[in-house]
Every structure is written in structure tokens, then in C-alpha cells.
Amino acid sequence: MNIPVCIPEFDENELNAVTSVMRSGWIARGEELELFEKELAAFLGVNHVVTVNSGTAALEVALRSLKIEKKEVITTATSCAPTANAIIHSGNIPVMADVSKEDYNVEPEEIEKLITPKTGAILPVHVYGRAAKMDRILQIAKKQSIPVIEDCAQSFGAKYKGKMTGTLGDIGCFSLNINKVITTGEGGFIATNNNSAAESAKMIRNYGRDPSGTDYCYTHFGHNFKFTNLQAAIGRAQLRKAHKLIEARRSKAQYLRGQLKDIKNITLPKDDNEMVWFSFPIIAKGMRDKLKKHLEDRGIEVRTMFRPMCDQPYYKAMFGERTKKYPNAEYVGEHGMYIGCYPKLTKEQMDYMVKSIKEGLMVHE
């Protein structure tokens, strides 16, 4: 049996939407794009959504739209490369904070320890579909008058105490990559209630051009970060079934948790009816790599959880060997892995994964 870590949920709706746009000739920019931004804003309950070509671009645009430059940006030690990359690309310096071993998200107390006069923003990442402890993070940020930019690449549709992730801080940044809750293949967007930031973001994504005049006037340093009408058509079809996709992920996670909850030698994430289960994380202390190989030999794709970003080769080449310790991030990176938790998973596939995990743990106990 072959079980990948992700399969996108496409059907005739996406196919028809793409066909319609191709026939119209409006491939790059058009009505679908404008409608998609409005519908995303309505879904999240914000005033503005600005689409870009990736989640990485969304993070850079967010930082630059708030005019944060040559500052320290505090973020999690446990994240994918784009978080740190975007901070560096925007002319800032990433400062890493340790995480919780329970939910793998950045610890607010660790953020607070790192604040200095050079701090320009706090950038929490809602990893694996679960929101970080935003009430405490926002409290810290407010006390110090520091903006908060949420990295919601893996948490579209997740909530924190009833509010959507991406709407709690100053700007929320989202990815529409192929493995995300809703996808357009590639792409991303920012969500905000900040009028000025939204207007700046629109210019930054379009080479920095001021759209108010007819001549080519560039008021910002910008990029070609534009999203397309073709992608927007796919996105609108995806958005119409977003709640269904989220509930399907929750249902799969609940089943897997139920089948694995009493198994020794693994730790499962706490249940949370507000998270969206981007994936199904598992901590297998001391036997992660052996269990991973056991599952892969049986056709089950497995990804290791993020190790501390500051240990990545390019990061060490740029900033040198780290002096700070990240015991929880190191623990998660050394012992954590995840398997798929997406709508197309069948009961037969999930039972096969559960059986294979149990077998692998017995063999390597």
C-alpha cells in the first residue's frame, strides 16, 4: 500500500473553474482574483486580503509593509525555512525562541526573555495546524508596543479561543502550497485590518509600483510576487469547501488518536477542537528514525519534524554557531515525525498506518 503524506482534494469544481478562466483569456489578473481576495477576507473576518505568489512572500511583504527593517524579529526555533528566510530577505535578523514539548509552538515566556530595544516584531508560527498561545503573546507585545505577525502557513481555518488564526495579530500570513488545508498549487496571502499595510503590500507585490497614476511610478522597493487569476479560480473552488475539508481532517485525526492513544513509547498531540490538523505529529523518543524507516518500507510516507532552524547549514554559515540552547526544540526535532492526516485518507489506509506503527514499535522496543 502506498500512502503519501498529502494528497490535494480536487474535483470537477476546480477543473471547471480553471477551464473557464483559460477560455476567458484573463490568466494573470482578473475578476476571479478580486473575488478570491474578497471571499478570503470574509471567511477570516478581516478588512483586507492581499494575495502573493507564496507563503514566504507573504511573510516578507508583511514585514516590509509595516516598515520593519534592520530589526530583530523574534520567532520560533521550530519552523520551516521560509520563516527565517523571509525575515532575512526583508532586511531583518531572526532571533529564535524555544518551544513547548506539548504543542511544539513557541513559548511566550521564551519570547519575553529575548525582547531588546532592537526588537521590531514578534512572529509566532502556528505549527502543524495548532494555534500558539496568542493571548500571552499579544499581552507581551502590547506591553512593549511591538507588532505581531502570525505565520499561519499550516493553520488556515484554525481558531484560538474562537478567533481565526491570522486575525489576532497585526497581520496574518498564509500559504496555499499543495500540502495546505486549501491549496492553489503554490501561492499565499496576507490578511489584515491595517489599511496602510494593505496598500503597501499591494505595491510591494507589484514591483513597488504606485497604482494611483497612469505612469510608472515606483514608491516602494518591490518584487514580482503577484498571484494569478488561474490560481484564484482554483482557490475559490477550494474555499467553498474549506469547512468540509477542515472537519474531514479533524475526523481523521480523531480516529488515529483513538487507535493509537494507549500505545507505549509514543506521545501524541493533545486533542484540540480548534486546530485543523495539517498533519498527524508523533513523538517516538529514542526510536523515531527506526520507526520512520519501518513505515517507509511499508509504503507510508513520513516526514521528520522540524529541527532548530539555527542548526541549518546556511543559517550557521550566515550567523555562526549558536550559543543559545533550545532543549525543547532539539527534543522535538530529534524525536518527532508526522504522517498524513488529509481528507482522502480511507479507513483502510488509516488502519494500515496504525497496524504498521504498532508493529514497528514492537520490533524496535
Side-chain angles (χ1 to χ4, degrees):
M1 190 176 292
N2 180 45
I3 306 175
V5 80
C6 173
I7 298 177
E9 186 78 10
F10 293 148
D11 56 32
E12 290 297 315
N13 291 306
E14 285 83 359
L15 182 60
N16 292 337
V18 168
T19 302
S20 178
V21 168
M22 292 185 73
R23 285 175 174 162
S24 77
W26 290 93
I27 302 297
R29 185 166 184 84
E31 185 181 18
E32 291 292 320
L33 178 50
E34 294 174 8
L35 289 171
F36 186 42
E37 290 182 337
K38 289 178 181 177
E39 289 165 4
L40 282 169
F43 182 91
L44 293 169
V46 296
N47 293 335
H48 306 284
V49 159
V50 180
T51 50
V52 289
N53 64 354
S54 70
T56 313
L59 290 165
E60 180 177 343
V61 167
L63 286 158
R64 294 187 49 225
S65 71
L66 292 176
K67 298 180 173 58
I68 299 166
E69 189 175 2
K70 297 180 180 178
K71 295 285 188 177
E72 293 178 350
V73 177
I74 301 173
T75 190
T76 175
T78 298
S79 182
C80 195
T83 308
N85 289 352
I87 293 170
I88 295 168
H89 289 166
S90 64
N92 295 288
I93 299 172
V95 175
M96 304 296 174
D98 204 6
V99 303
S100 162
K101 284 201 295 187
E102 280 67 50
D103 65 12
Y104 327 127
N105 276 313
V106 65
E107 284 284 22
E109 290 72 23
E110 296 297 317
I111 292 173
E112 194 166 28
K113 293 175 187 175
L114 296 170
I115 292 174
T116 72
K118 296 180 181 179
T119 302
I122 298 171
L123 204 165
V125 183
H126 307 301
V127 295
Y128 307 116
R130 186 193 303 270
K133 301 178 183 75
M134 288 302 296
D135 50 359
R136 182 73 182 107
I137 292 171
L138 292 169
Q139 183 183 47
I140 292 166
K142 184 177 180 181
K143 182 179 177 182
Q144 302 284 346
S145 298
I146 299 170
V148 174
I149 298 170
E150 299 172 70
D151 185 336
C152 309
Q154 298 180 353
S155 73
F156 178 82
K159 293 182 179 180
Y160 181 78
K161 296 185 177 180
K163 290 194 69 175
M164 291 275 194
T165 58
T167 70
L168 297 142
D170 295 86
I171 297 180
C173 301
F174 295 81
S175 170
L176 294 165
N177 183 263
I178 197 66
N179 62 349
K180 300 306 188 290
V181 175
I182 66 168
T183 181
T184 55
E186 286 287 358
F189 64 92
I190 72 164
T192 186
N193 289 317
N194 184 318
N195 298 338
S196 175
E199 289 306 309
S200 292
K202 290 175 184 177
M203 288 184 265
I204 293 166
R205 74 172 174 187
N206 187 28
Y207 309 107
R209 182 184 177 188
D210 183 350
S212 61
T214 56
D215 60 338
Y216 287 90
C217 178
Y218 299 96
T219 57
H220 294 66
F221 174 74
H223 301 274
N224 180 5
F225 282 165
K226 296 188 295 293
F227 197 70
T228 69
N229 211 38
L230 199 62
Q231 290 169 292
I234 300 170
R236 292 187 69 207
Q238 288 273 289
L239 188 57
R240 282 192 286 270
K241 55 189 177 187
H243 290 297
K244 177 182 174 183
L245 297 177
I246 291 166
E247 289 307 315
R249 285 175 177 268
R250 288 173 178 159
S251 175
K252 308 300 179 185
Q254 185 178 17
Y255 185 81
L256 289 170
R257 277 183 54 81
Q259 298 299 306
L260 293 169
K261 65 180 180 180
D262 297 322
I263 305 303
K264 295 179 181 179
N265 299 322
I266 60 171
T267 303
L268 304 179
K270 293 180 180 178
D271 198 8
D272 181 346
N273 61 11
E274 290 194 309
M275 70 181 291
V276 294
W277 295 95
F278 165 77
S279 60
F280 193 83
I282 298 171
I283 301 291
K285 185 178 179 181
M287 59 178 70
R288 191 271 308 275
D289 293 342
K290 291 178 180 178
L291 178 59
K292 178 176 181 287
K293 184 177 186 306
H294 180 88
L295 297 178
E296 289 173 338
D297 288 345
R298 282 148 184 80
I300 301 167
E301 186 179 6
V302 181
R303 304 269 178 92
T304 57
M305 289 167 70
F306 303 125
R307 59 175 171 164
M309 263 307 303
C310 41
D311 288 341
Q312 297 293 343
Y314 90 91
Y315 197 98
K316 289 194 285 188
M318 185 174 291
F319 296 104
E321 294 287 341
R322 64 180 167 101
T323 56
K324 178 178 169 53
K325 293 188 180 298
Y326 302 91
N328 292 346
E330 291 163 14
Y331 178 87
V332 170
E334 182 178 351
H335 303 293
M337 65 181 204
Y338 66 86
I339 55 177
C341 188
Y342 47 89
K344 284 189 175 179
L345 272 178
T346 66
K347 183 177 181 297
E348 180 185 11
Q349 288 174 318
M350 289 189 289
D351 287 339
Y352 180 75
M353 289 195 293
V354 168
K355 180 183 177 183
S356 298
I357 289 170
K358 290 178 179 179
E359 289 173 348
L361 290 169
M362 288 178 63
V363 169
H364 300 295
E365 189 173 7

